[in-house]
């Protein structure tokens, strides 16, 4: 399963790689990273059919996660199934949640990320 | 004709007496002058009977001459000196009259009229002078009355002005104290605005600290497993990861530390010690704080932040908190302007806030540009004025730019300029000399 993680903080990358060390080694999960919404769109141009799940931060300089979500829902729904998109944010307030859900997010997670919970969700996804 | 000489002497004494009336000299001279006058009147009648005809004409001028000489020497009558002098012609003409009559009675009898006219003119001279002196005195008296009045008015005005000046000085003192208070509360207000941004900025590194330490604990378990299995290679790879994580923990710990220090610095009273400062770092820090500060209030707000920092920017001698405050203020304004423009509802609009630094000869320049609402031409001149704000009541103190101006121009000998087009952009340029003398 290929997962794209979108976050402007570069240190998110080693964190994911280490947290999912076993899964990666067992070839259950593969990670790719983008440092901005714009980067993510470029990446998806080529590989949207491979990506099963997108985890995106909302608050990023430039294109926000919500905007990215809008583009994903508009441009990358074909061929089905559309990728699962989970929004991640430090501001876990109602307004952000509502906006994300309206734009078609599948889930909404708050920072600091609970990796055990995330793993559980991934299991449900593949089941 | 010596009758006039006696009258002259009599009137001189009488007038001297009148002139000392109502002064402290009156008691000293009143009796003397009165008796002298009576003496003159009596001697006029007596001398004619007592002395022979050749001598009597000399006596009048003699008496008058004596009185004139005596009073001229007397310091008490000094103010009347010019009046007393007017009697001298009468004394001289009187003597001349008597002398000529004695020596050549025939000649005298022939030109009798001229001598009489001479005495009369000398006598009238006294009166003419007396009248004009009196007029002058009156004028002088009036002038002195006016002068006193004026002096009283001047004194009154002076007192009034002194009072006003003291009141103004007190007011200035009060204003200075209020200003200091305002500056402090401006600082605290901007700190309040920043709190959310700061919290967010600290939260991120703290998350990393927590996550990396947690994952490192897990990695150690795994490493132990691998060692038990005897997979030394994998164990070493894990150890390298752990080491890297510890570095990350340290890095993010320091990041949080720096933010807290910066926050403390911002709220402290400035200590007026200029330090060599990296303006790029300062600008970057405050740009983020301002951005997160606004976003904490308006969660849907997003802006593109562009930084174009000159790589070889020299350190600048500045008060870092003060210049930080200026930058913070400019950034906050820039974000506010783009936020306002976004609220106008153009779906294509993308807020952009840009900061750039340039090194020039002997100075550096910092550009802060936004593509927000811009500043209308008619208020452009007012934006640096204290208490001028376009924000709704209660939202802005109106001191931000005014303080910024003071800090840059007065505190650092620099310049602050603005270029703007309404509806399109605003660009502030700060220019700071490399070394600022205190």
């Amino acid at each position: 399963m290929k997962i794209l993680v979108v976050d402007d903080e570069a240190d998110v990358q080693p964190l994911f790689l280490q947290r999912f060390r076993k899964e990666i080694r067992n070839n259950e999960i593969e990670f790719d990273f983008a440092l901005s919404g714009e980067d993510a769109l470029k990446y998806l141009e080529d590989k949207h059919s491979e990506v099963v799940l997108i985890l995106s931060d909302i608050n990023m300089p430039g294109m926000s996660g919500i905007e990215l979500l809008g583009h994903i829902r508009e441009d990358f729904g074909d061929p089905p199934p559309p990728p699962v998109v989970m929004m991640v944010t430090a501001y876990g307030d109602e307004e952000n949640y509502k906006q994300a859900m309206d734009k078609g997010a599948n889930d909404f997670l708050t920072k600091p990320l609970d990796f055990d919970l995330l793993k559980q969700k991934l299991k449900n996804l593949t089941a | 004709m010596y009758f006039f000489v006696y009258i002259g002497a009599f009137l001189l004494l009488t007038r001297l007496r009148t002139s000392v009336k109502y002064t402290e000299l009156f008691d000293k001279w009143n009796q003397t002058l009165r008796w002298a006058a009576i003496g003159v009147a009596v001697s006029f009648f007596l001398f004619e009977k007592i002395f022979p005809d050749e001598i009597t004409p000399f006596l009048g001028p003699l008496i008058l001459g004596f009185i004139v000489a005596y009073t001229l020497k007397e310091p008490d009558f000094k103010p009347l000196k010019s009046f007393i002098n007017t009697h001298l012609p009468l004394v001289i003409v009187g003597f001349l009259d008597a002398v000529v009559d004695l020596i050549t009675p025939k000649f005298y009898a022939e030109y009798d009229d001229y001598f009489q006219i001479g005495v009369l003119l000398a006598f009238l001279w006294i009166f003419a002078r007396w009248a004009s002196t009196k007029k002058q005195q009156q004028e002088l008296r009036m002038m002195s009355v006016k002068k006193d009045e004026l002096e009283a008015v001047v004194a009154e005005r002076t007192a009034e002005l002194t009072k006003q000046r003291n009141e103004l000085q007190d007011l200035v003192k009060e204003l200075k104290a209020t200003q200091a208070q305002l500056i402090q509360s401006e600082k605290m207000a901007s700190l309040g605005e920043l709190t959310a941004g700061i919290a967010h900025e600290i939260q991120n590194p703290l998350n990393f600290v927590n996550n990396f330490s947690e994952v490192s604990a897990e990695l150690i378990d795994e490493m132990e497993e691998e060692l038990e299995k005897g997979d030394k290679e994998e164990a070493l790879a894990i150890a390298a990861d752990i080491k890297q994580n510890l570095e990350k923990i340290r890095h993010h710990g320091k990041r949080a530390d720096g933010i807290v220090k910066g926050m403390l610095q911002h709220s402290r009273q400035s200590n007026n010690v200029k330090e060599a400062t990296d303006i790029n770092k300062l600008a970057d820090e405050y740009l983020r704080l301002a951005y997160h500060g606004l976003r904490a209030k308006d969660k849907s707000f997003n802006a593109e932040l562009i930084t174009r920092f000159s790589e070889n920017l020299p350190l600048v001698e500045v008060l870092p908190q003060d210049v930080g405050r200026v930058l913070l203020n400019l950034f906050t304004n820039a974000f506010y302007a783009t936020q306002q423009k976004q609220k106008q509802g153009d779906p294509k609009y993308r807020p952009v806030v840009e900061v750039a630094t340039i090194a020039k000869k002997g100075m550096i320049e910092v550009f802060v540009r936004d593509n927000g609402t811009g500043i209308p031409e008619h208020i452009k001149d007012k934006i640096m004025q204290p208490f001028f704000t376009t924000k709704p009541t209660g939202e802005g103190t109106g001191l931000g730019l005014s303080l910024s101006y003071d800090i840059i121009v007065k505190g650092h000998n620099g310049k602050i300029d603005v270029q703007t087009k309404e509806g399109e952009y605003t660009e502030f340029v700060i220019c700071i000399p490399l070394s600022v003398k205190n």
Side-chain angles (χ1 to χ4, degrees):
Chain A
M1 178 170 69
K2 196 165 222 168
I3 298 175
L4 174 66
V5 178
V6 189
D7 199 309
D8 58 315
E9 292 266 10
D11 277 351
V12 162
Q13 299 174 15
L15 190 66
F16 270 87
L17 294 177
Q18 288 175 19
R19 284 285 189 176
F20 289 92
R21 185 183 186 82
K22 274 183 195 163
E23 289 83 351
I24 293 167
R25 209 170 42 169
N26 299 337
N27 290 319
E28 288 166 25
I29 296 177
E30 198 187 326
F31 278 103
D32 271 319
F33 298 94
L35 283 168
S36 69
E38 289 86 348
D39 281 357
L41 285 180
K42 247 179 246 162
Y43 173 91
L44 287 172
E45 294 271 317
D46 300 333
K47 305 192 177 169
H48 74 272
S49 53
E50 299 167 32
V51 174
V52 178
L53 170 67
I54 298 167
L55 273 170
S56 175
D57 187 21
I58 290 182
N59 304 298
M60 292 180 290
M63 185 186 293
S64 77
I66 301 282
E67 283 172 73
L68 174 64
L69 174 62
H71 285 295
I72 292 169
R73 286 293 173 250
E74 266 175 43
D75 305 335
F76 301 109
D78 198 49
V84 175
V85 180
M86 293 185 183
M87 303 308 293
V88 185
T89 178
Y91 302 110
D93 56 285
E94 196 103 340
E95 206 185 309
N96 252 339
Y97 177 81
K98 204 174 149 272
Q99 234 184 344
M101 287 312 179
D102 283 351
K103 289 256 179 170
N106 299 86
D107 212 333
F108 187 83
L109 306 170
T110 51
K111 278 183 181 177
L113 263 182
D114 181 343
F115 281 91
D116 291 334
L117 181 72
L118 181 61
K119 280 183 188 179
Q120 195 58 49
K121 284 182 190 251
L122 292 186
K123 248 179 214 166
N124 293 342
L125 209 65
T126 48
Chain B
M1 280 313 295
Y2 45 86
F3 163 71
F4 283 109
V5 181
Y6 281 92
I7 291 190
F10 181 79
L11 288 177
L12 173 59
L13 292 167
T14 319
R15 277 168 189 161
L16 286 177
R17 206 175 133 237
T18 328
S19 73
V20 296
K21 227 172 186 175
Y22 311 121
T23 70
E24 65 268 33
L25 296 172
F26 186 64
D27 285 342
K28 186 178 169 188
W29 289 104
N30 182 32
Q31 294 303 322
T32 321
L33 290 169
R34 177 192 284 171
W35 287 114
I38 293 169
V40 167
V42 169
S43 50
F44 170 66
F45 296 107
L46 277 185
F47 288 175
E48 208 177 352
K49 306 254 168 14
I50 300 169
F51 296 105
D53 281 354
E54 297 83 53
I55 295 174
T56 37
F58 288 99
L59 295 175
L62 209 64
I63 291 169
L64 182 60
F66 172 75
I67 295 169
V68 167
Y70 182 82
T71 50
L72 278 179
K73 271 190 193 156
E74 181 55 52
D76 288 349
F77 297 117
K78 216 181 165 190
L80 296 162
K81 203 176 162 184
S82 67
F83 170 64
I84 296 166
N85 277 335
T86 57
H87 292 76
L88 284 175
L90 188 58
V91 175
I92 293 161
V93 174
F95 263 112
L96 209 63
D97 192 283
V99 170
V100 173
D101 192 12
L102 185 70
I103 297 169
T104 59
K106 212 173 141 195
F107 177 80
Y108 183 81
E110 202 172 324
Y111 295 99
D112 185 23
D113 290 350
Y114 294 103
F115 284 103
Q116 283 183 17
I117 286 169
V119 171
L120 201 63
L121 282 176
F123 183 72
L124 288 175
W125 170 247
I126 297 168
F127 279 85
R129 288 304 302 264
W130 173 250
S132 81
T133 315
K134 216 171 171 185
K135 207 175 148 199
Q136 272 176 10
Q137 273 176 345
Q138 205 166 358
E139 272 169 13
L140 273 174
R141 211 169 31 241
M142 272 170 71
M143 269 167 74
S144 97
V145 168
K146 270 188 188 154
K147 199 178 131 212
D148 287 351
E149 276 172 13
L150 273 174
E151 264 170 14
V153 171
V154 167
E156 199 180 307
R157 292 276 154 84
T158 310
E160 220 169 89
L161 284 173
T162 312
K163 198 178 142 214
Q164 275 177 1
R165 193 199 57 189
N166 290 342
E167 280 173 0
L168 282 173
Q169 272 173 346
D170 287 348
L171 209 64
V172 167
K173 254 187 234 160
E174 220 172 282
L175 278 173
K176 275 193 182 153
T178 315
Q179 191 193 27
Q181 257 173 356
L182 273 172
I183 290 172
Q184 190 57 20
S185 49
E186 220 310 300
K187 272 190 206 173
M188 296 323 279
S190 56
L191 185 69
E193 247 171 50
L194 282 182
T195 313
I198 289 164
H200 179 264
E201 282 290 281
I202 296 175
Q203 189 64 49
N204 263 344
L206 285 183
N207 284 346
F208 280 117
V209 168
N210 289 334
N211 274 318
F212 278 116
S213 51
E214 247 176 73
V215 83
S216 296
E218 279 171 26
L219 285 180
I220 287 174
D221 288 343
E222 281 178 40
M223 187 169 72
E224 280 169 357
E225 277 169 36
E226 298 297 338
L227 282 175
E228 270 166 30
K229 266 195 275 174
D231 191 344
K232 196 182 160 194
E233 207 174 306
E234 184 62 21
L236 281 175
I238 295 174
D241 277 355
I242 294 173
K243 193 177 170 191
Q244 190 196 22
N245 288 358
L246 290 176
E247 269 164 27
K248 299 241 175 260
I249 290 170
R250 206 172 111 87
H251 167 75
H252 289 286
K254 273 192 170 170
R255 199 173 133 195
D257 184 62
I259 292 162
V260 172
K261 285 213 175 103
M263 183 176 84
L264 290 177
Q265 213 167 41
H266 182 80
S267 65
R268 252 205 311 261
Q269 297 266 18
S270 46
N271 50 6
N272 288 319
V273 177
K274 290 190 167 122
E275 314 168 15
T277 305
D278 180 351
I279 298 290
N280 285 348
K281 208 176 136 208
L282 201 68
D284 194 46
E285 224 171 78
Y286 279 105
L287 179 66
R288 289 167 149 279
L289 287 181
Y291 181 50
H292 291 302
L294 181 61
R295 218 164 47 171
K297 279 195 277 183
D298 177 1
K299 273 136 198 146
S300 62
F301 180 77
N302 246 283
E304 189 180 348
L305 312 183
I306 301 176
T307 52
R308 276 192 245 278
F309 292 134
S310 162
E311 276 169 28
N312 44 16
L313 195 75
L315 297 183
V316 188
E317 291 277 329
V318 294
L319 300 169
Q321 305 91 301
D322 282 7
V323 174
R325 226 142 43 80
V326 173
L327 291 168
L328 175 67
N329 185 255
L330 295 182
F331 293 143
T332 311
N333 287 348
F335 286 122
Y336 182 81
T338 56
Q339 187 198 29
Q340 292 302 306
K341 188 160 171 189
Q342 196 173 42
K343 279 184 184 165
Q344 291 168 3
D346 178 1
K348 280 187 197 150
Y349 177 69
R350 293 271 173 278
V352 179
V353 173
E354 209 177 323
V355 54
T357 52
I358 295 178
K360 286 198 172 170
K361 200 184 168 196
M363 60 174 176
I364 61 145
E365 283 183 345
V366 184
F367 297 80
V368 178
R369 187 186 171 102
D370 68 74
N371 64 344
T373 47
I375 303 166
E377 195 59 40
H378 68 278
I379 61 167
K380 218 179 114 181
D381 294 338
K382 296 183 194 157
I383 56 170
M384 304 282 180
Q385 288 172 8
F387 304 111
F388 180 82
T389 179
T390 58
K391 292 183 183 173
T393 315
E395 276 189 35
T397 58
L399 286 173
L401 277 179
S402 144
L403 284 178
S404 300
Y405 181 86
D406 284 356
I407 289 168
I408 295 300
V409 177
K410 294 185 192 159
H412 293 86
N413 265 340
K415 274 198 302 190
I416 182 164
D417 283 320
V418 62
Q419 300 237 313
T420 180
K421 191 164 182 198
E422 196 177 352
E424 288 189 18
Y425 75 96
T426 300
E427 181 175 78
F428 278 91
V429 186
I430 303 172
C431 169
I432 308 173
L434 289 188
S435 168
V436 186
K437 285 175 189 72
N438 277 314

